[in-house]
């Protein structure tokens, strides 16, 4: 394979590669992954695109198969990810070990400038990345800006200590293992393209502030242009400067308390107004305090300002949120009545909320028919999650896949994730959080995880 890009071949030396995972934002080191059986390597669409770039480039399919066997056997050591390069020591079936590298062209400064300019105008893209997702429209918008994030044919260039000139079993094993890491965190790909997560988020924050300031200045200028001129004496500069020197500095922001404070007792000597349910009011006040504490903690989390705002809860959703606070039985009964559910329905809705909030509730209560493209991707994911002959018999109905012999079911959410369910006395109940891998979701439903 021709060397199309300029790389620093000093990185191929084994000396000086002892930095830890937190040494800098320019390198991340992932511990060796455990052996894996009975599932495909890439569950996310971006992980599958990474493997397609490998499989479309490699000339020897036998080397790819050997690489898959090595990756499944856990023969890939700790994986180091740096701009332009991913590295690991890979053992082969004969006991020998080789250093394997896969190179990927970094984005230029101009390309990063275009990508950041695009991303800062679309908060949803950054929110998705913070949730460890890479939606297709992010990649499409980047491509429209002239930036290719995902690799294509010939973009993954192998270097291996076994001196193979094409992808060997060792570099193929490294690529298959990296697909599992990409599934968990798409920032791994962005680091290979040249920007670590912290640097990328800092640059986006700076641009967001600058963009907001520019918009504010434009709005103020428009307002001033519309105003009638007024006479103003102004403020003497000497007086202003003197006052500034005696003003105390702003105090530091107080720390966030570890938990919400206690709710004041409403049990007083004064009789409450007619129709006031004091116990219910105390419960609502306690839940409001807990929710305010959660929102404050979340607002002070790094990257919060880049996330898209969430939709306001409906009355039915909010009733389930309140019921998740483990209220007394009589409060639960009132919440069930107010949300249009019976006691069992509310009991099923609470774990759905605990596992996934509004998305978990939607998967519990809504049955929908995927369009042809979504259905095809779902079927491909199910078929790829197990090796040939290992997939349990599943019957598909709309977005629900049922293994009747085990009393388990997986449901496809509108966000592409799979949710485990277990049958209990004729009712399907949530059995755990969502997973990108349908096999992992079914395993959680069975109770293997």
């Amino acid at each position: 394979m021709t060397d199309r890009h300029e790389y620093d071949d000093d990185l191929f030396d084994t000396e000086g590669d002892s930095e830890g995972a937190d040494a800098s934002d320019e390198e991340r080191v992932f511990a060796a992954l455990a052996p894996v059986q009975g599932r495909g390597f890439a569950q996310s669409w971006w992980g599958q695109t990474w493997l397609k770039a490998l499989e479309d480039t490699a000339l020897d399919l036998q080397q790819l198969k050997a690489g898959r066997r090595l990756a499944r056997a856990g023969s890939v050591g700790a994986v180091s990810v740096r701009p332009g390069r991913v590295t690991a020591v890979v053992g082969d079936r004969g006991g020998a070990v080789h250093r394997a590298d896969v190179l990927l062209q970094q984005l230029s400064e101009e390309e990063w400038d275009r990508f950041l300019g695009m991303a800062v105008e679309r908060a949803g893209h950054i929110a998705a990345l913070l949730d460890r997702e890479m939606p297709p429209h992010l990649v499409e918008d980047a491509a429209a800006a002239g930036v290719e994030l995902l690799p294509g044919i010939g973009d993954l260039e192998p270097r291996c200590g076994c001196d193979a000139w094409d992808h060997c079993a060792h570099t193929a094993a490294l690529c298959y293992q990296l697909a599992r890491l990409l599934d968990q965190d798409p920032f791994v790909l962005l680091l290979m393209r040249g920007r670590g997560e912290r640097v990328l988020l800092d640059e986006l924050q700076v641009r967001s502030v600058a963009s907001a300031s520019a918009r504010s200045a434009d709005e103020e200028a428009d307002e001033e242009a519309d105003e009638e001129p007024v006479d103003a004496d102004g403020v003497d500069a000497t007086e202003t400067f003197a006052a500034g020197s005696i003003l105390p500095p702003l105090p530091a922001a107080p720390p966030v308390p570890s938990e919400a404070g206690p709710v004041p007792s409403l049990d007083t000597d004064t009789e409450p107004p007619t129709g006031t349910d004091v116990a219910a009011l105390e419960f609502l006040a306690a839940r409001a305090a807990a929710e305010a504490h959660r929102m404050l903690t979340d607002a002070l989390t790094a990257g919060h300002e880049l996330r898209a705002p969430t939709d306001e809860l409906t009355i039915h959703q909010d009733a389930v949120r309140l019921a998740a606070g483990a209220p007394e039985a009589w409060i639960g009964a009132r919440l069930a009545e107010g949300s249009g559910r019976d006691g069992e329905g509310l009991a099923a809705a609470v774990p759905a909320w605990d596992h996934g909030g509004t998305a978990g509730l939607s998967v519990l209560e809504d049955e929908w028919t995927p369009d042809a493209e979504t259905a095809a991707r779902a079927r491909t994911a199910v078929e790829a999650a197990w090796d040939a002959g290992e997939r349990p018999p599943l019957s598909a109905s709309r977005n629900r896949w049922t293994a009747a012999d085990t009393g388990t079911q997986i449901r496809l959410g509108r966000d592409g994730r799979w949710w485990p369910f277990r049958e209990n006395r004729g009712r399907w109940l949530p059995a755990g959080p969502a997973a990108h891998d349908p096999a992992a979701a079914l395993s959680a439903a069975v109770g293997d995880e």
Side-chain angles (χ1 to χ4, degrees), residues 57-116:
T57 299
L59 302 178
D60 190 342
L61 296 182
Q62 294 304 315
Q63 293 292 344
L64 293 183
K65 292 181 179 180
R68 283 197 294 269
R69 288 194 294 269
L70 291 178
R72 287 190 185 280
S75 299
V76 181
V79 178
S80 168
V81 182
R82 289 169 287 177
R85 182 182 296 256
V86 57
T87 306
V89 173
V90 182
D92 58 28
R93 305 185 73 176
V97 294
H98 301 278
R99 170 169 169 160
D101 289 67
V102 175
L103 313 183
L104 178 64
Q105 178 69 55
Q106 299 182 52
L107 299 180
S108 67
E109 289 297 324
E110 181 182 354
E111 288 173 319
W112 274 115
D113 183 67
R114 291 200 298 268
F115 174 78
L116 293 168

Side-chain angles (χ1 to χ4, degrees), residues 253-261 288-302 304 307:
V256 178
S258 59
E259 59 184 11
E291 181 67 6
H293 179 266
R294 184 199 66 78
M295 294 175 66
L296 176 61
T297 303
D298 186 55
L300 296 179
T301 302
H304 173 80
R307 300 175 189 169

Side-chain angles (χ1 to χ4, degrees), residues 15 44 95-96 113 117 149 180 196 208 222 231 262 322 353 363 372 421 439:
E15 298 180 1
S44 65
D113 183 67
L149 291 180
R180 296 172 65 187
S208 295
D222 292 340
D231 293 330
L322 292 171
W353 176 271
V363 172
F421 278 76

Side-chain angles (χ1 to χ4, degrees), residues 214-238:
R215 287 194 299 268
S216 177
D218 290 341
E219 291 171 358
E220 290 180 3
D222 292 340
E223 291 176 359
E224 291 176 358
D226 294 336
E227 291 178 355
E228 294 291 334
V230 296
D231 293 330
D233 295 331
V235 179
D236 182 76
T238 303

Side-chain angles (χ1 to χ4, degrees), residues 19 41 166 207 234 252 269-270 277 294 371 378 393 416 425 433:
E19 290 184 321
F41 283 95
D166 185 32
R207 287 175 178 249
D269 294 335
T270 304
D277 189 331
R294 184 199 66 78
D371 57 43
R425 294 184 298 179

